[in-house]
Amino acid sequence: MTSLFHYLRDSLHVTPVDGDKLEVTVTLPSDHFLHFLRILESLTGFAQILNRHARHQRIKADEELQRQKQDAEHQLARYNKRLVKLFDHYTAQGLDRNTAIKQIGADLRAERHPWSSPDLVRVGLASAGRSGTPGRPRRQP
């Protein structure tokens, strides 16, 4: 297939100017000048549409990321609140801290909860204000 713009390729001259800049010279027949300008205008409009679309996609991605972050914070708060409630329930029944943590882990495992490990339960309780040192609440940052 032959290019319809073979005269552009033949009349195009590129000259390096400063480091990363180029000087482009195109020699056109006078009756093609308006067509060439229309091509440049359409490419400019196309580039503007692409920029708007990219900006819109970036805004949507930022909004989605913010929503996911808020959802994650909400889920963590619900998890910590649940840990505290279960911990208070089991310690009110007379269980010591380690036994209560193991029981909470077993309850969460029965539900196939992804954070059912006793280590995660222990860290969750500490971050929710139920530290392992009796009488001295954990200092919050």
Side-chain angles (χ1 to χ4, degrees):
M1 177 177 196
T2 59
S3 172
L4 298 175
F5 297 105
H6 63 83
Y7 58 88
L8 275 178
R9 188 173 41 236
D10 296 339
S11 66
L12 186 71
H13 301 285
V14 180
T15 308
V17 181
D18 295 334
D20 62 343
K21 295 184 181 183
L22 299 172
E23 180 180 304
V24 179
T25 306
V26 179
T27 306
L28 297 173
S30 60
D31 57 338
H32 292 289
F33 179 69
L34 289 177
H35 298 295
F36 183 74
L37 286 180
R38 287 185 186 126
I39 289 172
L40 290 179
E41 286 177 353
S42 67
L43 288 176
T44 302
F46 180 67
Q48 289 172 345
I49 289 171
L50 287 179
N51 284 339
R52 275 189 239 133
H53 181 70
R55 183 173 179 266
H56 179 69
Q57 292 298 100
R58 199 171 41 251
I59 289 170
K60 278 178 51 177
D62 289 346
E63 289 172 352
E64 178 66 20
L65 185 63
Q66 185 65 25
R67 188 191 62 75
Q68 288 176 353
K69 183 179 176 183
Q70 288 173 347
D71 286 349
E73 290 171 354
H74 178 69
Q75 291 292 337
L76 182 60
R78 282 184 47 206
Y79 173 74
N80 286 340
K81 185 176 179 180
R82 183 172 180 206
L83 288 182
V84 168
K85 183 178 176 183
L86 287 171
F87 182 75
D88 290 344
H89 172 72
Y90 288 130
T91 54
Q93 290 180 352
L95 297 178
D96 67 354
R97 178 178 175 78
N98 287 333
T99 308
I101 289 173
K102 289 178 185 176
Q103 186 60 47
I104 293 169
D107 291 349
L108 294 174
R109 255 188 316 285
E111 299 172 10
R112 296 182 175 261
H113 195 285
W115 301 337
S116 62
S117 164
D119 292 334
L120 294 175
V121 171
R122 188 171 285 112
V123 169
L125 284 171
S127 68
R130 298 292 196 271
S131 63
T133 309
R136 291 186 55 191
R138 185 170 184 227
R139 191 173 82 191
Q140 297 294 325

